[in-house]
Amino acid sequence: MKKIEALIRPQKLGEVKEALNKLGISGMTVTEVVGCGRQKGQKEIYRGIEYEINLLPKVKIEIVTVDEKVEEIIKIISESARTGAIGDGKIFISEVLDAVRIRTGERGTAAITSPKEGER
């Protein structure tokens, strides 16, 4: 199993979520975060005083999936989140040693896959 963490522009969340839903990926955690990188922030003027905001709003999407779907998910996120400008975001992939579905006690990939029809 792998965990995919994608940091993207907030305005791209709808496109990314829609594209992932078409693939059948609906299980994800979405968090509003702030961060900085090569984008370097932006200048704002407040009450006539200019100041620099170097922590910009981003959205973090976390998906735990089976190994076979990783490349397809990365491709979908990359294509639907891309604007071509600095600040489009990053995708991180890491190993997941185990997962447990609290309700049933299922472990491993059974804990992250949808139940078969009639087992709900």
Side-chain angles (χ1 to χ4, degrees):
M1 292 180 294
K2 299 279 193 280
K3 180 178 183 180
I4 299 170
E5 293 178 87
L7 296 162
I8 64 169
R9 296 174 186 271
Q11 61 269 28
K12 288 297 204 168
L13 177 60
E15 282 180 60
V16 170
K17 189 173 173 235
E18 187 177 315
L20 288 169
N21 281 333
K22 287 180 184 174
L23 178 64
I25 305 294
S26 58
M28 65 185 78
T29 301
V30 177
T31 311
E32 292 180 4
V33 297
V34 293
C36 61
R38 291 181 60 199
Q39 199 173 358
K40 302 285 194 242
Q42 59 195 31
K43 294 190 189 289
E44 296 280 333
I45 297 177
Y46 179 72
R47 295 188 176 181
I49 299 172
E50 184 177 270
Y51 63 99
E52 192 169 316
I53 300 173
N54 59 3
L55 292 175
L56 298 174
K58 298 289 179 184
V59 171
K60 180 179 178 181
I61 301 170
E62 296 173 89
I63 301 169
V64 176
T65 188
V66 294
D67 293 347
E68 297 79 33
K69 289 189 177 183
V70 171
E71 290 306 317
E72 196 170 7
I73 291 171
I74 291 169
K75 181 180 177 193
I76 286 171
I77 293 171
S78 295
E79 289 174 356
S80 53
R82 181 177 295 127
T83 68
I86 291 175
D88 278 350
K90 296 263 191 309
I91 300 173
F92 302 100
I93 301 97
S94 55
E95 286 286 334
V96 173
L97 300 177
D98 202 0
V100 178
R101 187 185 313 262
I102 294 172
R103 179 177 56 87
T104 62
E106 294 169 293
R107 295 188 79 131
T109 57
I112 64 167
T113 55
S114 297
K116 293 170 184 61
E117 208 54 46
E119 293 181 11
R120 294 177 189 201

